[in-house]
mmCIF file with all atom_site columns, all heavy atoms in Angstrom:
data_model
loop_
_atom_site.group_PDB
_atom_site.id
_atom_site.type_symbol
_atom_site.label_atom_id
_atom_site.label_alt_id
_atom_site.label_comp_id
_atom_site.label_asym_id
_atom_site.label_entity_id
_atom_site.label_seq_id
_atom_site.pdbx_PDB_ins_code
_atom_site.Cartn_x
_atom_site.Cartn_y
_atom_site.Cartn_z
_atom_site.occupancy
_atom_site.B_iso_or_equiv
_atom_site.pdbx_formal_charge
_atom_site.auth_seq_id
_atom_site.auth_comp_id
_atom_site.auth_asym_id
_atom_site.auth_atom_id
_atom_site.pdbx_PDB_model_num
ATOM   1   N N   . GLY S 1 23  ? -95.722  32.656 148.150 1.00 0.00 ? 266 GLY S N   1
ATOM   2   C CA  . GLY S 1 23  ? -96.927  32.162 148.826 1.00 0.00 ? 266 GLY S CA  1
ATOM   3   C C   . GLY S 1 23  ? -97.966  31.766 147.796 1.00 0.00 ? 266 GLY S C   1
ATOM   4   O O   . GLY S 1 23  ? -98.301  32.538 146.899 1.00 0.00 ? 266 GLY S O   1
ATOM   5   N N   . SER S 1 25  ? -101.288 30.457 148.366 1.00 0.00 ? 268 SER S N   1
ATOM   6   C CA  . SER S 1 25  ? -102.713 30.329 148.670 1.00 0.00 ? 268 SER S CA  1
ATOM   7   C C   . SER S 1 25  ? -103.467 30.811 147.448 1.00 0.00 ? 268 SER S C   1
ATOM   8   O O   . SER S 1 25  ? -102.859 31.202 146.443 1.00 0.00 ? 268 SER S O   1
ATOM   9   C CB  . SER S 1 25  ? -103.080 31.206 149.874 1.00 0.00 ? 268 SER S CB  1
ATOM   10  O OG  . SER S 1 25  ? -102.920 32.558 149.495 1.00 0.00 ? 268 SER S OG  1
ATOM   11  N N   . THR S 1 27  ? -104.804 33.557 147.191 1.00 0.00 ? 270 THR S N   1
ATOM   12  C CA  . THR S 1 27  ? -104.333 34.937 147.024 1.00 0.00 ? 270 THR S CA  1
ATOM   13  C C   . THR S 1 27  ? -103.126 34.971 146.087 1.00 0.00 ? 270 THR S C   1
ATOM   14  O O   . THR S 1 27  ? -103.088 35.727 145.108 1.00 0.00 ? 270 THR S O   1
ATOM   15  C CB  . THR S 1 27  ? -103.903 35.523 148.398 1.00 0.00 ? 270 THR S CB  1
ATOM   16  O OG1 . THR S 1 27  ? -104.820 35.141 149.400 1.00 0.00 ? 270 THR S OG1 1
ATOM   17  C CG2 . THR S 1 27  ? -103.734 36.998 148.349 1.00 0.00 ? 270 THR S CG2 1
ATOM   18  N N   . GLU S 1 46  ? -94.086  28.323 146.701 1.00 0.00 ? 289 GLU S N   1
ATOM   19  C CA  . GLU S 1 46  ? -94.938  27.879 147.813 1.00 0.00 ? 289 GLU S CA  1
ATOM   20  C C   . GLU S 1 46  ? -94.181  26.831 148.635 1.00 0.00 ? 289 GLU S C   1
ATOM   21  O O   . GLU S 1 46  ? -93.628  25.880 148.082 1.00 0.00 ? 289 GLU S O   1
ATOM   22  C CB  . GLU S 1 46  ? -96.254  27.287 147.268 1.00 0.00 ? 289 GLU S CB  1
ATOM   23  C CG  . GLU S 1 46  ? -97.093  26.530 148.272 1.00 0.00 ? 289 GLU S CG  1
ATOM   24  C CD  . GLU S 1 46  ? -97.439  27.313 149.534 1.00 0.00 ? 289 GLU S CD  1
ATOM   25  O OE1 . GLU S 1 46  ? -97.895  28.462 149.435 1.00 0.00 ? 289 GLU S OE1 1
ATOM   26  O OE2 . GLU S 1 46  ? -97.235  26.768 150.645 1.00 0.00 ? 289 GLU S OE2 1
ATOM   27  N N   . ARG S 1 47  ? -94.193  27.015 149.963 1.00 0.00 ? 290 ARG S N   1
ATOM   28  C CA  . ARG S 1 47  ? -93.377  26.106 150.782 1.00 0.00 ? 290 ARG S CA  1
ATOM   29  C C   . ARG S 1 47  ? -94.070  24.765 151.051 1.00 0.00 ? 290 ARG S C   1
ATOM   30  O O   . ARG S 1 47  ? -93.414  23.790 151.399 1.00 0.00 ? 290 ARG S O   1
ATOM   31  C CB  . ARG S 1 47  ? -92.966  26.773 152.090 1.00 0.00 ? 290 ARG S CB  1
ATOM   32  C CG  . ARG S 1 47  ? -94.073  26.950 153.054 1.00 0.00 ? 290 ARG S CG  1
ATOM   33  C CD  . ARG S 1 47  ? -93.624  27.572 154.347 1.00 0.00 ? 290 ARG S CD  1
ATOM   34  N NE  . ARG S 1 47  ? -94.799  27.978 155.083 1.00 0.00 ? 290 ARG S NE  1
ATOM   35  C CZ  . ARG S 1 47  ? -94.802  28.821 156.084 1.00 0.00 ? 290 ARG S CZ  1
ATOM   36  N NH1 . ARG S 1 47  ? -93.685  29.375 156.471 1.00 0.00 ? 290 ARG S NH1 1
ATOM   37  N NH2 . ARG S 1 47  ? -95.921  29.113 156.694 1.00 0.00 ? 290 ARG S NH2 1
ATOM   38  N N   . GLY S 1 53  ? -103.110 27.408 150.478 1.00 0.00 ? 296 GLY S N   1
ATOM   39  C CA  . GLY S 1 53  ? -102.972 28.055 151.784 1.00 0.00 ? 296 GLY S CA  1
ATOM   40  C C   . GLY S 1 53  ? -103.957 27.489 152.797 1.00 0.00 ? 296 GLY S C   1
ATOM   41  O O   . GLY S 1 53  ? -104.201 26.281 152.821 1.00 0.00 ? 296 GLY S O   1
ATOM   42  N N   . VAL S 1 54  ? -104.541 28.351 153.608 1.00 0.00 ? 297 VAL S N   1
ATOM   43  C CA  . VAL S 1 54  ? -105.439 27.900 154.679 1.00 0.00 ? 297 VAL S CA  1
ATOM   44  C C   . VAL S 1 54  ? -106.635 27.111 154.124 1.00 0.00 ? 297 VAL S C   1
ATOM   45  O O   . VAL S 1 54  ? -107.124 26.186 154.753 1.00 0.00 ? 297 VAL S O   1
ATOM   46  C CB  . VAL S 1 54  ? -105.917 29.107 155.534 1.00 0.00 ? 297 VAL S CB  1
ATOM   47  C CG1 . VAL S 1 54  ? -107.032 28.727 156.476 1.00 0.00 ? 297 VAL S CG1 1
ATOM   48  C CG2 . VAL S 1 54  ? -104.746 29.672 156.337 1.00 0.00 ? 297 VAL S CG2 1
ATOM   49  N N   . VAL S 1 60  ? -109.826 24.618 155.580 1.00 0.00 ? 303 VAL S N   1
ATOM   50  C CA  . VAL S 1 60  ? -110.978 25.541 155.690 1.00 0.00 ? 303 VAL S CA  1
ATOM   51  C C   . VAL S 1 60  ? -111.663 25.680 154.326 1.00 0.00 ? 303 VAL S C   1
ATOM   52  O O   . VAL S 1 60  ? -111.246 26.483 153.487 1.00 0.00 ? 303 VAL S O   1
ATOM   53  C CB  . VAL S 1 60  ? -110.535 26.923 156.215 1.00 0.00 ? 303 VAL S CB  1
ATOM   54  C CG1 . VAL S 1 60  ? -111.733 27.879 156.267 1.00 0.00 ? 303 VAL S CG1 1
ATOM   55  C CG2 . VAL S 1 60  ? -109.917 26.800 157.582 1.00 0.00 ? 303 VAL S CG2 1
ATOM   56  N N   . MET S 1 62  ? -114.518 26.941 152.991 1.00 0.00 ? 305 MET S N   1
ATOM   57  C CA  . MET S 1 62  ? -115.737 27.780 152.978 1.00 0.00 ? 305 MET S CA  1
ATOM   58  C C   . MET S 1 62  ? -115.422 29.188 152.494 1.00 0.00 ? 305 MET S C   1
ATOM   59  O O   . MET S 1 62  ? -114.550 29.860 153.038 1.00 0.00 ? 305 MET S O   1
ATOM   60  C CB  . MET S 1 62  ? -116.262 27.837 154.422 1.00 0.00 ? 305 MET S CB  1
ATOM   61  C CG  . MET S 1 62  ? -117.132 29.019 154.708 1.00 0.00 ? 305 MET S CG  1
ATOM   62  S SD  . MET S 1 62  ? -118.832 28.618 154.781 1.00 0.00 ? 305 MET S SD  1
ATOM   63  C CE  . MET S 1 62  ? -118.880 27.807 156.343 1.00 0.00 ? 305 MET S CE  1
ATOM   64  N N   . HIS S 1 64  ? -117.354 32.919 151.563 1.00 0.00 ? 307 HIS S N   1
ATOM   65  C CA  . HIS S 1 64  ? -118.600 33.635 151.871 1.00 0.00 ? 307 HIS S CA  1
ATOM   66  C C   . HIS S 1 64  ? -119.201 34.248 150.605 1.00 0.00 ? 307 HIS S C   1
ATOM   67  O O   . HIS S 1 64  ? -118.640 34.137 149.522 1.00 0.00 ? 307 HIS S O   1
ATOM   68  C CB  . HIS S 1 64  ? -118.338 34.634 153.001 1.00 0.00 ? 307 HIS S CB  1
ATOM   69  C CG  . HIS S 1 64  ? -117.895 33.906 154.246 1.00 0.00 ? 307 HIS S CG  1
ATOM   70  N ND1 . HIS S 1 64  ? -116.564 33.722 154.548 1.00 0.00 ? 307 HIS S ND1 1
ATOM   71  C CD2 . HIS S 1 64  ? -118.602 33.268 155.190 1.00 0.00 ? 307 HIS S CD2 1
ATOM   72  C CE1 . HIS S 1 64  ? -116.462 32.999 155.653 1.00 0.00 ? 307 HIS S CE1 1
ATOM   73  N NE2 . HIS S 1 64  ? -117.682 32.709 156.068 1.00 0.00 ? 307 HIS S NE2 1
ATOM   74  N N   . THR S 1 134 ? -90.842  24.790 148.350 1.00 0.00 ? 377 THR S N   1
ATOM   75  C CA  . THR S 1 134 ? -89.738  25.761 148.269 1.00 0.00 ? 377 THR S CA  1
ATOM   76  C C   . THR S 1 134 ? -90.056  26.921 149.205 1.00 0.00 ? 377 THR S C   1
ATOM   77  O O   . THR S 1 134 ? -91.060  27.613 149.011 1.00 0.00 ? 377 THR S O   1
ATOM   78  C CB  . THR S 1 134 ? -89.583  26.284 146.819 1.00 0.00 ? 377 THR S CB  1
ATOM   79  O OG1 . THR S 1 134 ? -89.462  25.151 145.946 1.00 0.00 ? 377 THR S OG1 1
ATOM   80  C CG2 . THR S 1 134 ? -88.377  27.161 146.666 1.00 0.00 ? 377 THR S CG2 1
ATOM   81  N N   . CYS S 1 136 ? -89.205  30.476 150.714 1.00 0.00 ? 379 CYS S N   1
ATOM   82  C CA  . CYS S 1 136 ? -88.438  31.700 150.525 1.00 0.00 ? 379 CYS S CA  1
ATOM   83  C C   . CYS S 1 136 ? -87.827  32.077 151.877 1.00 0.00 ? 379 CYS S C   1
ATOM   84  O O   . CYS S 1 136 ? -88.521  32.133 152.881 1.00 0.00 ? 379 CYS S O   1
ATOM   85  C CB  . CYS S 1 136 ? -89.389  32.788 150.024 1.00 0.00 ? 379 CYS S CB  1
ATOM   86  S SG  . CYS S 1 136 ? -88.705  34.412 150.102 1.00 0.00 ? 379 CYS S SG  1
ATOM   87  N N   . ALA S 1 169 ? -97.290  37.228 149.164 1.00 0.00 ? 412 ALA S N   1
ATOM   88  C CA  . ALA S 1 169 ? -98.576  36.598 149.510 1.00 0.00 ? 412 ALA S CA  1
ATOM   89  C C   . ALA S 1 169 ? -98.322  35.495 150.530 1.00 0.00 ? 412 ALA S C   1
ATOM   90  O O   . ALA S 1 169 ? -98.959  34.447 150.515 1.00 0.00 ? 412 ALA S O   1
ATOM   91  C CB  . ALA S 1 169 ? -99.242  36.031 148.242 1.00 0.00 ? 412 ALA S CB  1
ATOM   92  N N   . SER S 1 170 ? -97.382  35.765 151.448 1.00 0.00 ? 413 SER S N   1
ATOM   93  C CA  . SER S 1 170 ? -96.961  34.734 152.409 1.00 0.00 ? 413 SER S CA  1
ATOM   94  C C   . SER S 1 170 ? -97.847  34.716 153.647 1.00 0.00 ? 413 SER S C   1
ATOM   95  O O   . SER S 1 170 ? -97.580  33.969 154.584 1.00 0.00 ? 413 SER S O   1
ATOM   96  C CB  . SER S 1 170 ? -95.514  34.993 152.834 1.00 0.00 ? 413 SER S CB  1
ATOM   97  O OG  . SER S 1 170 ? -95.430  36.229 153.535 1.00 0.00 ? 413 SER S OG  1
ATOM   98  N N   . THR S 1 193 ? -106.074 28.615 164.795 1.00 0.00 ? 436 THR S N   1
ATOM   99  C CA  . THR S 1 193 ? -106.922 27.428 165.014 1.00 0.00 ? 436 THR S CA  1
ATOM   100 C C   . THR S 1 193 ? -106.466 26.310 164.088 1.00 0.00 ? 436 THR S C   1
ATOM   101 O O   . THR S 1 193 ? -106.273 26.548 162.891 1.00 0.00 ? 436 THR S O   1
ATOM   102 C CB  . THR S 1 193 ? -108.401 27.775 164.671 1.00 0.00 ? 436 THR S CB  1
ATOM   103 O OG1 . THR S 1 193 ? -108.911 28.650 165.669 1.00 0.00 ? 436 THR S OG1 1
ATOM   104 C CG2 . THR S 1 193 ? -109.284 26.534 164.587 1.00 0.00 ? 436 THR S CG2 1
ATOM   105 N N   . GLY S 1 294 ? -103.963 26.907 161.115 1.00 0.00 ? 537 GLY S N   1
ATOM   106 C CA  . GLY S 1 294 ? -104.540 28.064 160.420 1.00 0.00 ? 537 GLY S CA  1
ATOM   107 C C   . GLY S 1 294 ? -104.265 29.338 161.188 1.00 0.00 ? 537 GLY S C   1
ATOM   108 O O   . GLY S 1 294 ? -104.662 29.473 162.348 1.00 0.00 ? 537 GLY S O   1
ATOM   109 N N   . ARG S 1 296 ? -104.921 33.213 161.744 1.00 0.00 ? 539 ARG S N   1
ATOM   110 C CA  . ARG S 1 296 ? -105.876 34.285 161.390 1.00 0.00 ? 539 ARG S CA  1
ATOM   111 C C   . ARG S 1 296 ? -105.164 35.604 161.195 1.00 0.00 ? 539 ARG S C   1
ATOM   112 O O   . ARG S 1 296 ? -105.521 36.393 160.337 1.00 0.00 ? 539 ARG S O   1
ATOM   113 C CB  . ARG S 1 296 ? -106.935 34.441 162.488 1.00 0.00 ? 539 ARG S CB  1
ATOM   114 C CG  . ARG S 1 296 ? -107.948 33.341 162.513 1.00 0.00 ? 539 ARG S CG  1
ATOM   115 C CD  . ARG S 1 296 ? -109.179 33.695 163.340 1.00 0.00 ? 539 ARG S CD  1
ATOM   116 N NE  . ARG S 1 296 ? -110.125 32.602 163.246 1.00 0.00 ? 539 ARG S NE  1
ATOM   117 C CZ  . ARG S 1 296 ? -110.048 31.473 163.963 1.00 0.00 ? 539 ARG S CZ  1
ATOM   118 N NH1 . ARG S 1 296 ? -109.075 31.312 164.829 1.00 0.00 ? 539 ARG S NH1 1
ATOM   119 N NH2 . ARG S 1 296 ? -110.936 30.526 163.805 1.00 0.00 ? 539 ARG S NH2 1
ATOM   120 N N   . GLY S 1 391 ? -102.990 39.702 150.823 1.00 0.00 ? 634 GLY S N   1
ATOM   121 C CA  . GLY S 1 391 ? -103.381 38.701 151.819 1.00 0.00 ? 634 GLY S CA  1
ATOM   122 C C   . GLY S 1 391 ? -103.593 39.343 153.172 1.00 0.00 ? 634 GLY S C   1
ATOM   123 O O   . GLY S 1 391 ? -103.727 40.569 153.288 1.00 0.00 ? 634 GLY S O   1
ATOM   124 N N   . ARG S 1 392 ? -103.567 38.488 154.192 1.00 0.00 ? 635 ARG S N   1
ATOM   125 C CA  . ARG S 1 392 ? -103.990 38.961 155.516 1.00 0.00 ? 635 ARG S CA  1
ATOM   126 C C   . ARG S 1 392 ? -103.018 39.944 156.160 1.00 0.00 ? 635 ARG S C   1
ATOM   127 O O   . ARG S 1 392 ? -103.315 40.508 157.193 1.00 0.00 ? 635 ARG S O   1
ATOM   128 C CB  . ARG S 1 392 ? -104.244 37.768 156.440 1.00 0.00 ? 635 ARG S CB  1
ATOM   129 C CG  . ARG S 1 392 ? -103.053 36.890 156.697 1.00 0.00 ? 635 ARG S CG  1
ATOM   130 C CD  . ARG S 1 392 ? -103.391 35.761 157.660 1.00 0.00 ? 635 ARG S CD  1
ATOM   131 N NE  . ARG S 1 392 ? -102.422 34.714 157.593 1.00 0.00 ? 635 ARG S NE  1
ATOM   132 C CZ  . ARG S 1 392 ? -101.213 34.740 158.159 1.00 0.00 ? 635 ARG S CZ  1
ATOM   133 N NH1 . ARG S 1 392 ? -100.850 35.805 158.846 1.00 0.00 ? 635 ARG S NH1 1
ATOM   134 N NH2 . ARG S 1 392 ? -100.382 33.723 158.042 1.00 0.00 ? 635 ARG S NH2 1
ATOM   135 N N   . ARG S 1 405 ? -110.604 39.996 156.285 1.00 0.00 ? 648 ARG S N   1
ATOM   136 C CA  . ARG S 1 405 ? -109.634 38.889 156.369 1.00 0.00 ? 648 ARG S CA  1
ATOM   137 C C   . ARG S 1 405 ? -110.088 37.589 155.702 1.00 0.00 ? 648 ARG S C   1
ATOM   138 O O   . ARG S 1 405 ? -109.309 36.661 155.623 1.00 0.00 ? 648 ARG S O   1
ATOM   139 C CB  . ARG S 1 405 ? -109.315 38.625 157.840 1.00 0.00 ? 648 ARG S CB  1
ATOM   140 C CG  . ARG S 1 405 ? -110.484 38.085 158.630 1.00 0.00 ? 648 ARG S CG  1
ATOM   141 C CD  . ARG S 1 405 ? -110.192 37.985 160.116 1.00 0.00 ? 648 ARG S CD  1
ATOM   142 N NE  . ARG S 1 405 ? -111.318 37.450 160.840 1.00 0.00 ? 648 ARG S NE  1
ATOM   143 C CZ  . ARG S 1 405 ? -111.581 36.156 160.971 1.00 0.00 ? 648 ARG S CZ  1
ATOM   144 N NH1 . ARG S 1 405 ? -110.777 35.265 160.447 1.00 0.00 ? 648 ARG S NH1 1
ATOM   145 N NH2 . ARG S 1 405 ? -112.637 35.747 161.639 1.00 0.00 ? 648 ARG S NH2 1
ATOM   146 N N   . VAL S 1 406 ? -111.329 37.522 155.238 1.00 0.00 ? 649 VAL S N   1
ATOM   147 C CA  . VAL S 1 406 ? -111.772 36.238 154.678 1.00 0.00 ? 649 VAL S CA  1
ATOM   148 C C   . VAL S 1 406 ? -111.362 36.084 153.208 1.00 0.00 ? 649 VAL S C   1
ATOM   149 O O   . VAL S 1 406 ? -111.050 37.050 152.524 1.00 0.00 ? 649 VAL S O   1
ATOM   150 C CB  . VAL S 1 406 ? -113.307 36.006 154.834 1.00 0.00 ? 649 VAL S CB  1
ATOM   151 C CG1 . VAL S 1 406 ? -113.670 35.835 156.289 1.00 0.00 ? 649 VAL S CG1 1
ATOM   152 C CG2 . VAL S 1 406 ? -114.081 37.099 154.159 1.00 0.00 ? 649 VAL S CG2 1
ATOM   153 N N   . MET S 1 407 ? -111.437 34.837 152.741 1.00 0.00 ? 650 MET S N   1
ATOM   154 C CA  . MET S 1 407 ? -110.783 34.507 151.468 1.00 0.00 ? 650 MET S CA  1
ATOM   155 C C   . MET S 1 407 ? -111.423 35.183 150.254 1.00 0.00 ? 650 MET S C   1
ATOM   156 O O   . MET S 1 407 ? -110.701 35.574 149.334 1.00 0.00 ? 650 MET S O   1
ATOM   157 C CB  . MET S 1 407 ? -110.706 32.999 151.304 1.00 0.00 ? 650 MET S CB  1
ATOM   158 C CG  . MET S 1 407 ? -109.760 32.384 152.326 1.00 0.00 ? 650 MET S CG  1
ATOM   159 S SD  . MET S 1 407 ? -109.614 30.595 152.205 1.00 0.00 ? 650 MET S SD  1
ATOM   160 C CE  . MET S 1 407 ? -110.824 30.025 153.371 1.00 0.00 ? 650 MET S CE  1
ATOM   161 N N   . LEU S 1 410 ? -109.691 38.409 150.186 1.00 0.00 ? 653 LEU S N   1
ATOM   162 C CA  . LEU S 1 410 ? -108.246 38.351 149.915 1.00 0.00 ? 653 LEU S CA  1
ATOM   163 C C   . LEU S 1 410 ? -107.956 37.817 148.512 1.00 0.00 ? 653 LEU S C   1
ATOM   164 O O   . LEU S 1 410 ? -106.958 38.187 147.898 1.00 0.00 ? 653 LEU S O   1
ATOM   165 C CB  . LEU S 1 410 ? -107.543 37.519 150.988 1.00 0.00 ? 653 LEU S CB  1
ATOM   166 C CG  . LEU S 1 410 ? -107.718 38.065 152.419 1.00 0.00 ? 653 LEU S CG  1
ATOM   167 C CD1 . LEU S 1 410 ? -106.963 37.196 153.418 1.00 0.00 ? 653 LEU S CD1 1
ATOM   168 C CD2 . LEU S 1 410 ? -107.263 39.515 152.542 1.00 0.00 ? 653 LEU S CD2 1
HETATM 169 C C1  . FAD R 2 .   ? -109.463 28.292 161.448 1.00 0.00 ? 891 FAD R C1  1
HETATM 170 C C2  . FAD R 2 .   ? -109.741 29.359 160.456 1.00 0.00 ? 891 FAD R C2  1
HETATM 171 C C3  . FAD R 2 .   ? -110.988 29.421 159.911 1.00 0.00 ? 891 FAD R C3  1
HETATM 172 C C4  . FAD R 2 .   ? -111.257 30.365 158.946 1.00 0.00 ? 891 FAD R C4  1
HETATM 173 N N1  . FAD R 2 .   ? -112.481 30.366 158.362 1.00 0.00 ? 891 FAD R N1  1
HETATM 174 C C5  . FAD R 2 .   ? -112.642 31.057 157.235 1.00 0.00 ? 891 FAD R C5  1
HETATM 175 C C6  . FAD R 2 .   ? -113.783 30.836 156.432 1.00 0.00 ? 891 FAD R C6  1
HETATM 176 O O1  . FAD R 2 .   ? -114.661 30.050 156.758 1.00 0.00 ? 891 FAD R O1  1
HETATM 177 N N2  . FAD R 2 .   ? -113.868 31.491 155.243 1.00 0.00 ? 891 FAD R N2  1
HETATM 178 C C7  . FAD R 2 .   ? -112.895 32.375 154.854 1.00 0.00 ? 891 FAD R C7  1
HETATM 179 O O2  . FAD R 2 .   ? -113.014 32.919 153.767 1.00 0.00 ? 891 FAD R O2  1
HETATM 180 N N3  . FAD R 2 .   ? -111.836 32.658 155.626 1.00 0.00 ? 891 FAD R N3  1
HETATM 181 C C8  . FAD R 2 .   ? -111.663 31.988 156.792 1.00 0.00 ? 891 FAD R C8  1
HETATM 182 N N4  . FAD R 2 .   ? -110.551 32.187 157.544 1.00 0.00 ? 891 FAD R N4  1
HETATM 183 C C9  . FAD R 2 .   ? -109.602 33.267 157.169 1.00 0.00 ? 891 FAD R C9  1
HETATM 184 C C10 . FAD R 2 .   ? -108.777 32.925 155.969 1.00 0.00 ? 891 FAD R C10 1
HETATM 185 O O3  . FAD R 2 .   ? -108.600 31.532 155.850 1.00 0.00 ? 891 FAD R O3  1
HETATM 186 C C11 . FAD R 2 .   ? -107.400 33.570 156.003 1.00 0.00 ? 891 FAD R C11 1
HETATM 187 O O4  . FAD R 2 .   ? -107.501 34.922 156.393 1.00 0.00 ? 891 FAD R O4  1
HETATM 188 C C12 . FAD R 2 .   ? -106.775 33.522 154.621 1.00 0.00 ? 891 FAD R C12 1
HETATM 189 O O5  . FAD R 2 .   ? -106.601 32.180 154.230 1.00 0.00 ? 891 FAD R O5  1
HETATM 190 C C13 . FAD R 2 .   ? -105.461 34.229 154.566 1.00 0.00 ? 891 FAD R C13 1
HETATM 191 O O6  . FAD R 2 .   ? -105.024 34.132 153.250 1.00 0.00 ? 891 FAD R O6  1
HETATM 192 P P1  . FAD R 2 .   ? -103.530 34.484 152.867 1.00 0.00 ? 891 FAD R P1  1
HETATM 193 O O7  . FAD R 2 .   ? -103.408 34.203 151.421 1.00 0.00 ? 891 FAD R O7  1
HETATM 194 O O8  . FAD R 2 .   ? -103.169 35.832 153.362 1.00 0.00 ? 891 FAD R O8  1
HETATM 195 O O9  . FAD R 2 .   ? -102.656 33.482 153.742 1.00 0.00 ? 891 FAD R O9  1
HETATM 196 P P2  . FAD R 2 .   ? -102.569 31.897 153.784 1.00 0.00 ? 891 FAD R P2  1
HETATM 197 O O10 . FAD R 2 .   ? -103.829 31.248 153.386 1.00 0.00 ? 891 FAD R O10 1
HETATM 198 O O11 . FAD R 2 .   ? -101.995 31.620 155.132 1.00 0.00 ? 891 FAD R O11 1
HETATM 199 O O12 . FAD R 2 .   ? -101.479 31.569 152.674 1.00 0.00 ? 891 FAD R O12 1
HETATM 200 C C14 . FAD R 2 .   ? -100.131 31.926 152.781 1.00 0.00 ? 891 FAD R C14 1
HETATM 201 C C15 . FAD R 2 .   ? -99.349  30.964 151.897 1.00 0.00 ? 891 FAD R C15 1
HETATM 202 O O13 . FAD R 2 .   ? -97.986  31.366 151.841 1.00 0.00 ? 891 FAD R O13 1
HETATM 203 C C16 . FAD R 2 .   ? -97.157  30.242 152.046 1.00 0.00 ? 891 FAD R C16 1
HETATM 204 N N5  . FAD R 2 .   ? -95.901  30.709 152.622 1.00 0.00 ? 891 FAD R N5  1
HETATM 205 C C17 . FAD R 2 .   ? -95.720  31.335 153.813 1.00 0.00 ? 891 FAD R C17 1
HETATM 206 N N6  . FAD R 2 .   ? -94.438  31.637 154.004 1.00 0.00 ? 891 FAD R N6  1
HETATM 207 C C18 . FAD R 2 .   ? -93.790  31.212 152.893 1.00 0.00 ? 891 FAD R C18 1
HETATM 208 C C19 . FAD R 2 .   ? -92.413  31.238 152.503 1.00 0.00 ? 891 FAD R C19 1
HETATM 209 N N7  . FAD R 2 .   ? -91.478  31.760 153.293 1.00 0.00 ? 891 FAD R N7  1
HETATM 210 N N8  . FAD R 2 .   ? -92.084  30.716 151.315 1.00 0.00 ? 891 FAD R N8  1
HETATM 211 C C20 . FAD R 2 .   ? -93.042  30.160 150.494 1.00 0.00 ? 891 FAD R C20 1
HETATM 212 N N9  . FAD R 2 .   ? -94.335  30.106 150.838 1.00 0.00 ? 891 FAD R N9  1
HETATM 213 C C21 . FAD R 2 .   ? -94.716  30.624 152.005 1.00 0.00 ? 891 FAD R C21 1
HETATM 214 C C22 . FAD R 2 .   ? -97.965  29.354 152.980 1.00 0.00 ? 891 FAD R C22 1
HETATM 215 O O14 . FAD R 2 .   ? -97.526  28.018 152.947 1.00 0.00 ? 891 FAD R O14 1
HETATM 216 C C23 . FAD R 2 .   ? -99.369  29.541 152.433 1.00 0.00 ? 891 FAD R C23 1
HETATM 217 O O15 . FAD R 2 .   ? -99.673  28.643 151.392 1.00 0.00 ? 891 FAD R O15 1
HETATM 218 C C24 . FAD R 2 .   ? -110.259 31.292 158.546 1.00 0.00 ? 891 FAD R C24 1
HETATM 219 C C25 . FAD R 2 .   ? -108.984 31.250 159.132 1.00 0.00 ? 891 FAD R C25 1
HETATM 220 C C26 . FAD R 2 .   ? -108.716 30.294 160.063 1.00 0.00 ? 891 FAD R C26 1
HETATM 221 C C27 . FAD R 2 .   ? -107.347 30.217 160.633 1.00 0.00 ? 891 FAD R C27 1
#
Side-chain angles (χ1 to χ4, degrees):
S268 66
T270 318
E289 168 54 49
R290 72 178 167 197
V297 169
V303 178
M305 157 104 74
H307 299 93
T377 307
C379 167
S413 65
T436 289
R539 287 196 177 80
R635 61 178 162 78
R648 67 187 180 84
V649 292
M650 292 180 266
L653 300 181

